[in-house]
Amino acid sequence: MQKSTNSDSSVETLNSTRQGTGAVQMRIKNANSHHDRLSQSKSMILTDVGKVTEPISRHRRNHSQHVLKDVIPPLEQLMVEKEGYLQKAKIADGGKKLRKNWSTSWIVLSSRKIEFYKESKQQALSNMKTGNKPESVDLCGAHIEWTKEKSSRKNVFQITTVSGNEFLLQSDIDFIILDWFHAIKNAIDRLPKAPSCPSRNLELFKIQRSSSTELLSHYDSDIKEQKPEHRKSLMFRLHHSASDTSDKNRVKSRLKKFITRRPSLKTLQEKGLIKDQIFGSHLHTVCERENSTVPRFVKQCIEAVEKRGLDVDGIYRVSGNLATIQKLRFIVNQEEKLNLDDSQWEDIHVVTGALKMFFRELPEPLFPYSFFERFVEAIKIQDNNTRIETIKSLVQKLPPPNRDTMKVLFGHLTKIVAKASKNLMSTQSLGIVFGPTLLRAENDTGNMAVHMVYQNQIAELMLSEYDKIFSSKED
């Protein structure tokens, strides 16, 4: 009498020994159902070297993955184009704003991405071996631009990715940051636009698969297998999800229309809805409003610095707390009564930072755009006396607000230089600080590094030859 288990299933093991090769084949037969046989039937062949040959998969999904693997090259194979240290701050992640924290990063630029390392290059490479990967930014479809609104630091540009991440990169050395800007911009320009990027293709591929007949049939089978009340719930969720998407699209379109139709700042000021502000306004506008040729805020800052900051180490070079500076800026713009002797402005670097910010945010710098090239040509003159006389002649031709404010500011800076033994701020140091702030070309495209040298030299000459340049017959 045979056992019942023999009718349910049988396991046959075939052992055969061949010279040079050995193989073990095992088949599991199950006669329960056609579905069970398909799911349980296996074939495994062990070769001499002990490797297991994987069965060939004929599933549509696996074929599509092989196709994607052939089309999309691995990111690790991309060549490094540039690397070095920069100041980095991430201000948005997936469209969500983040608190700005500057940090020094080792940056590696390849043909289609940027990688940020926290450590030095050697440490970063050793950490990568242990599995720690750097933060990576896909440049495909990204946008790069210079920005002055996002930070009070100079030489700052912003990178915005298609995924909504935003990064600020900065260096105090002009030619270094300019070189990085052009290198990243060229890398972005060489890449295709966002819709044709490999990463985008992958997303589109997933979307197309999700709308394929295979997925629809999967939903259809699920609906048929479920109870009527569950089937209604699933259909409701599907329709509800579609309606949510359409609602979001309508909100986005309305926001875009609102942004494009919103009035400009100038229009709001003309209608009296927004008061004229001190920061960001033209110098002559501020002076006309105050019936003066030197802004009141400039005088207040200079008075405070000369009262308690002439001996402070690194005055005008050391940065103050940015949040406090912005608070001071807000009070000044709201035309509130300002008392710089108040304890909240105790740090003199906050006052100097606000003064530098005022000159940096002028729509047209203290040295007007129309005079920039003439000052540059004057500083190139070899003969010292001729150079001084030419500069003096240009200063006298400036509009009264620019000339008088310039005279007050550089007169104040000469007092800083007189205390250089205590504050360690020489003529050269102040020239480096104020040169790019007070002088800049209207369209500074490729000559930033060259202009920086002349900007510093002009500011230094204005300080060292202050008495000769600003003297007049009336004096």
Side-chain angles (χ1 to χ4, degrees):
M1 182 176 179
Q2 293 182 347
K3 296 182 180 179
S4 60
T5 54
N6 291 338
S7 62
D8 296 333
S9 64
S10 64
V11 178
E12 298 178 0
T13 305
L14 303 177
N15 297 327
S16 63
T17 305
R18 300 175 184 175
Q19 188 175 5
T21 62
V24 178
Q25 295 182 344
M26 180 175 67
R27 290 180 299 174
I28 301 175
K29 292 184 178 180
N30 193 314
N32 287 337
S33 66
H34 174 70
H35 176 74
D36 293 336
R37 287 201 302 274
L38 289 178
S39 62
Q40 295 182 10
S41 296
K42 297 181 181 179
S43 176
M44 181 175 67
I45 301 176
L46 298 177
T47 63
D48 291 336
V49 294
K51 293 183 180 179
V52 178
T53 59
E54 297 181 357
I56 300 176
S57 173
R58 293 178 174 81
H59 197 281
R60 188 187 309 169
R61 182 184 304 170
N62 293 332
H63 281 297
S64 64
Q65 290 174 351
H66 291 311
V67 172
L68 281 176
K69 190 181 300 182
D70 297 334
V71 174
I72 304 175
L75 298 181
E76 290 74 15
Q77 296 180 0
L78 302 178
M79 299 299 294
V80 173
E81 297 186 0
K82 187 175 178 61
E83 54 186 356
Y85 283 108
L86 284 180
Q87 294 295 315
K88 183 210 77 170
K90 187 174 184 179
I91 59 175
D93 186 3
K96 181 180 179 181
K97 298 299 180 182
L98 302 176
R99 183 176 181 181
K100 179 171 57 184
N101 289 318
W102 288 101
S103 62
T104 302
S105 295
W106 178 267
I107 301 178
V108 179
L109 170 66
S110 61
S111 58
R112 62 160 289 176
K113 69 174 181 177
I114 297 178
E115 292 179 326
F116 299 114
Y117 297 88
K118 294 182 180 180
E119 309 90 352
S120 63
K121 183 179 180 181
Q122 292 76 11
Q123 293 174 332
L125 292 177
S126 63
N127 284 342
M128 283 185 66
K129 295 178 181 178
T130 60
N132 294 329
K133 294 185 178 180
E135 183 175 14
S136 180
V137 178
D138 191 352
L139 294 178
C140 198
H143 178 65
I144 183 172
E145 62 179 346
W146 294 100
T147 178
K148 295 180 180 179
E149 295 78 12
K150 300 295 179 67
S151 174
S152 61
R153 298 190 178 195
K154 69 172 186 176
N155 303 339
V156 179
F157 65 81
Q158 176 177 336
I159 300 175
T160 305
T161 67
V162 293
S163 60
N165 295 339
E166 298 178 12
F167 298 87
L168 299 181
L169 297 179
Q170 185 267 346
S171 174
D172 290 332
I173 304 176
D174 297 60
F175 69 88
I176 290 180
I177 196 67
L178 183 65
D179 190 32
W180 269 103
F181 179 86
H182 287 304
I184 297 175
K185 186 176 187 302
N186 291 336
I188 294 175
D189 292 341
R190 287 195 302 268
L191 293 171
K193 299 303 179 183
S196 59
C197 286
S199 60
R200 282 295 188 189
N201 284 342
L202 186 58
E203 293 178 6
L204 291 175
F205 174 78
K206 292 178 180 178
I207 294 174
Q208 290 170 357
R209 275 180 50 196
S210 66
S211 59
S212 64
T213 56
E214 179 183 352
L215 190 58
L216 287 177
S217 62
H218 172 70
Y219 278 127
D220 188 40
S221 62
D222 285 348
I223 293 173
K224 290 179 179 179
E225 292 175 2
Q226 290 180 357
K227 296 180 180 180
E229 57 270 19
H230 292 167
R231 187 159 60 242
K232 291 179 181 179
S233 176
L234 179 59
M235 293 301 296
F236 172 78
R237 289 199 301 271
L238 291 174
H239 290 301
H240 186 66
S241 176
S243 63
D244 282 350
T245 303
S246 60
D247 289 341
K248 289 179 181 178
N249 292 335
R250 282 197 295 269
V251 171
K252 287 181 180 179
S253 63
R254 289 177 182 176
L255 284 174
K256 288 180 180 179
K257 290 180 181 179
F258 171 76
I259 292 173
T260 55
R261 294 176 181 175
R262 65 179 180 177
S264 64
L265 178 62
K266 183 179 179 180
T267 303
L268 295 174
Q269 289 175 343
E270 290 175 352
K271 293 182 178 181
L273 298 176
I274 296 181
K275 295 181 180 179
D276 292 329
Q277 299 182 340
I278 302 298
F279 284 79
S281 296
H282 286 273
L283 182 65
H284 65 85
T285 303
V286 177
C287 291
E288 287 177 3
R289 194 162 62 240
E290 298 178 353
N291 194 23
S292 173
T293 55
V294 181
R296 186 186 306 113
F297 177 69
V298 174
K299 294 179 181 178
Q300 288 177 300
C301 290
I302 289 175
E303 181 181 351
V305 174
E306 293 181 356
K307 182 177 179 181
R308 51 190 173 94
L310 292 179
D311 297 336
V312 176
D313 184 10
I315 190 71
Y316 284 110
R317 175 174 53 81
V318 177
S319 301
N321 182 272
L322 182 58
T324 311
I325 294 174
Q326 292 289 3
K327 181 179 179 181
L328 177 58
R329 178 181 185 272
F330 176 80
I331 291 175
V332 174
N333 277 339
Q334 295 300 313
E335 298 183 0
E336 297 182 17
K337 188 176 181 179
L338 179 63
N339 179 19
L340 291 178
D341 292 330
D342 192 284
S343 59
Q344 61 181 326
W345 322 122
E346 181 180 2
D347 183 7
I348 196 63
H349 296 303
V350 170
V351 179
T352 58
L355 181 61
K356 289 188 293 183
M357 182 180 288
F358 170 80
F359 285 111
R360 191 163 51 244
E361 292 189 0
L362 287 174
E364 187 175 25
L366 187 61
F367 288 73
Y369 290 133
S370 58
F371 281 78
F372 179 79
E373 292 296 337
R374 286 187 273 180
F375 272 100
V376 171
E377 293 301 322
I379 202 64
K380 294 179 182 177
I381 299 175
Q382 297 296 323
D383 182 69
N384 187 51
N385 292 329
T386 306
R387 181 166 62 244
I388 294 174
E389 287 300 322
T390 305
I391 294 289
K392 178 179 179 179
S393 175
L394 290 174
V395 169
Q396 292 175 346
K397 295 178 182 178
L398 292 172
N402 299 74
R403 182 185 65 243
D404 293 350
T405 303
M406 196 179 297
K407 182 177 181 179
V408 170
L409 176 62
F410 281 102
H412 163 65
L413 296 179
T414 57
K415 297 179 182 179
I416 301 292
V417 176
K419 296 278 188 145
S421 59
K422 294 184 178 180
N423 57 41
L424 304 180
M425 291 299 291
S426 62
T427 302
Q428 292 78 11
S429 300
L430 291 172
I432 293 173
V433 172
F434 280 95
T437 301
L438 303 179
L439 296 97
R440 59 181 182 271
E442 186 170 9
N443 297 312
D444 199 350
T445 53
N447 299 321
M448 182 183 295
V450 178
H451 286 164
M452 180 185 66
V453 177
Y454 296 131
Q455 290 165 344
N456 298 350
Q457 290 179 353
I458 293 171
E460 290 178 26
L461 183 67
M462 302 284 281
L463 279 172
S464 59
E465 303 296 341
Y466 174 81
D467 293 333
K468 294 180 181 179
I469 293 175
F470 288 97
S471 63
S472 60
K473 295 181 180 179
E474 290 77 4
D475 294 343

